[in-house]
Amino acid sequence: LRAAYHLLIERGEVESRGFLPYSLFRSLDYAQDKAARGQPLADWEALCVASNSLASHVKMVLLRVKRIFRLRAITINEFHTELEHFGMLFLVQELLAFIKAHEIAEKAFKDLSQGDGRDELTLAENVVLQESVDQVLLAEQALDEFDEKEVQQIKSHYACHIILSKAAAYYETLSRQGLMSEREAGEFLEEMEAHILHTKECQDSSHAGEISDRHKLEMVPDDGWSPLHLSSSNAKSVTENMKEDA
């Protein structure tokens, strides 16, 4: 799971800094302590503790308030709406990352366990997988408690965030390789940063100039694309990391 979260960060699916990666990795620290005492996997419960900690919420609210009043003047009602949206945005993204990491880890675990030519998993290995499946079910139940349209809106903006992050990483690579000057890359990166900030702030469900759903589907690659823009090759990467760690 830790390797899966690192992979999500590496591919731009999860930010490398901030409260989201902090809560995800902190939950694994809690869960690892329990596992060391022979208890079943319970990283969902640990994630709830990590993300609901008073310190994290206070810091997030303060940072959000600072950003809101720096960007524009708003009314009290708009202020509360902004805060509610930010809280929901964080929780939904946290759930999406949690579920995807488990899917990646489960696939990698199966590949690693069956690497010696065995067709079936042992009883102990099946127990480990079932524990992960149970954690995902809990997360999915929590996700179902949110309004479906609002979740879809967050997923849509999250996908845009991922694509923009990948674009920014591409320009940084071009600059490092000398294929683009730092000044040229800097101009593009500033533009990407502005767009990324907009995806975090935007609460609109429709946008001017948006292409149709049919055209969007035609542009999606047939390689296991998910709400986190992950391909089927991710499990292989995690498996390789697990082998190296072993």
Side-chain angles (χ1 to χ4, degrees):
L1 283 170
R2 197 176 296 276
Y5 283 137
H6 279 297
L7 181 61
L8 292 177
I9 292 174
E10 177 185 339
R11 294 183 177 273
E13 319 293 342
V14 173
E15 293 180 332
S16 60
R17 298 183 182 86
F19 294 104
L20 179 56
Y22 172 82
S23 64
L24 293 172
F25 285 115
R26 189 60 176 164
S27 70
L28 293 184
D29 293 336
Y30 293 148
Q32 187 172 354
D33 290 340
K34 286 191 174 184
R37 298 195 296 269
Q39 299 181 22
L41 177 65
D43 60 326
W44 167 246
E45 178 184 354
L47 182 61
C48 291
V49 173
S51 63
N52 291 329
S53 65
L54 178 61
S56 292
H57 277 294
V58 169
K59 290 180 180 178
M60 283 191 297
V61 170
L62 290 176
L63 289 173
R64 184 61 173 176
V65 169
K66 181 179 179 181
R67 178 184 297 173
I68 289 173
F69 284 101
R70 185 178 72 246
L71 291 177
R72 58 189 181 278
I74 61 176
T75 66
I76 294 298
N77 289 335
E78 290 174 334
F79 172 73
H80 286 299
T81 300
E82 288 274 0
L83 289 182
E84 290 178 1
H85 173 73
F86 180 71
M88 181 177 179
L89 177 69
F90 173 80
L91 292 175
V92 170
Q93 289 183 352
E94 187 178 59
L95 286 165
L96 294 175
F98 180 90
I99 293 171
K100 176 49 67 173
H102 272 266
E103 292 176 353
I104 296 172
E106 289 170 14
K107 179 63 167 62
F109 182 80
K110 290 178 182 179
D111 292 344
L112 186 63
S113 300
Q114 296 175 339
D116 58 1
R118 291 183 291 117
D119 294 330
E120 297 182 359
L121 300 176
T122 65
L123 178 60
E125 290 168 342
N126 277 312
V127 169
V128 172
L129 281 178
Q130 187 57 49
E131 290 178 355
S132 177
V133 171
D134 292 341
Q135 297 303 296
V136 171
L137 288 175
L138 291 173
E140 290 177 339
Q141 290 172 4
L143 189 61
D144 289 339
E145 294 178 2
F146 292 98
D147 180 80
E148 184 178 356
K149 290 184 178 180
E150 291 184 344
V151 170
Q152 188 57 44
Q153 180 192 79
I154 291 175
K155 285 184 177 182
S156 177
H157 287 106
Y158 197 15
C160 293
H161 183 136
I162 292 170
I163 294 171
L164 290 167
S165 296
K166 289 179 179 292
Y170 177 69
Y171 286 121
E172 290 177 345
T173 300
L174 291 179
S175 179
R176 285 196 306 269
Q177 295 177 346
L179 300 176
M180 178 178 287
S181 69
E182 291 186 7
R183 179 178 179 180
E184 290 175 326
E187 292 176 354
F188 284 109
L189 289 174
E190 287 182 5
E191 182 180 358
M192 294 297 104
E193 183 178 356
H195 288 315
I196 288 174
L197 179 59
H198 178 67
T199 63
K200 293 181 179 180
E201 301 288 339
C202 183
Q203 300 181 38
D204 297 331
S205 57
S206 60
H207 307 80
E210 185 174 357
I211 63 176
S212 66
D213 290 342
R214 181 175 62 84
H215 288 158
K216 291 179 184 177
L217 290 174
E218 292 175 351
M219 298 172 67
V220 174
D222 298 325
D223 60 352
W225 193 87
S226 74
L228 286 179
H229 198 57
L230 295 173
S231 66
S232 57
S233 62
N234 290 338
K236 180 179 179 181
S237 299
V238 174
T239 303
E240 292 173 350
N241 290 337
M242 291 171 66
K243 289 181 179 178
E244 291 177 357
D245 293 340

